Amino acid sequence: MIGWAGYTDYLTAHPGTTLTEVEFTRFAERAAAEILRATAWRAQQAAGDDAVSILRSCQLALIDEVLLPGAEAGAGTVTSANNDGYSESYLSGASLDSLQHSRTRRLIARYLLNPVTGWMIYAGGVYHAPARR
C-alpha cells in the first residue's frame, strides 16, 4: 500500500474502474507525495483510525479529481474568443500546472482541515521581535 489507500480501497470506491493496479500505484505515489508535501511530512505521524480514514479518502479524491488523465480542470479551456476575426486563446501549460497545484492544495485542505487532522496543516506563525527602544 502506498500512502493510506490501497488498490482494493480504490476498487471498493470505484467498482467499475478501468484503472490497473500498476497505474493506480503510480497515481497513489503522486497523491501521497502531494499530501506529505502539503503537511510538511506530518501526515506520516497519523495515528488512529479516524485520521487514517481521512487521509485515505483524501488520497483517493486526489487520484480521481486531480491526477487521473482527463481530470485536469481547464485542459484545452478557451480563455478568450473573438468571433469577428475568429481568434481563440487557450490556457498555457504553465497556467494548467498552476491550476492543478491550486486544486490539489484546496482539495487537501478540504479533507484535512478538521479537528482530527487539522494539526497536519500548520498555518505557521511569524515571530515579531520586540521593537527596538
Side-chain angles (χ1 to χ4, degrees):
M1 177 172 23
I2 286 74
W4 305 271
Y7 188 61
T8 54
D9 297 320
Y10 188 78
L11 290 178
T12 302
H14 306 89
T17 186
T18 59
L19 195 65
T20 66
E21 190 167 1
V22 173
E23 293 170 330
F24 170 80
T25 302
R26 184 169 46 105
F27 292 124
E29 286 173 351
R30 281 189 57 201
E34 289 293 337
I35 292 169
L36 289 172
R37 190 174 303 117
T39 62
W41 293 84
R42 289 182 196 91
Q44 282 186 335
Q45 302 166 354
D49 293 338
D50 291 341
V52 171
S53 176
I54 291 168
L55 286 166
R56 180 181 305 117
S57 298
C58 182
Q59 186 177 10
L60 292 174
L62 272 174
I63 292 169
D64 284 339
E65 297 180 30
V66 179
L67 300 178
L68 278 178
E72 304 96 4
T77 300
V78 177
T79 57
S80 66
N82 179 356
N83 286 340
D84 204 24
Y86 187 73
S87 171
E88 289 184 346
S89 299
Y90 296 91
L91 281 176
S92 68
S95 296
L96 283 175
D97 288 345
S98 175
L99 185 61
Q100 184 179 15
H101 179 74
S102 66
R103 286 185 68 216
T104 299
R105 296 299 173 179
R106 279 195 316 266
L107 191 134
I108 290 171
R110 185 174 60 201
Y111 275 87
L112 299 185
L113 285 177
N114 64 63
V116 176
T117 56
W119 60 271
M120 294 179 194
I121 307 287
Y122 177 66
V126 178
Y127 173 73
H128 295 284
R132 289 188 171 170
R133 296 180 187 189

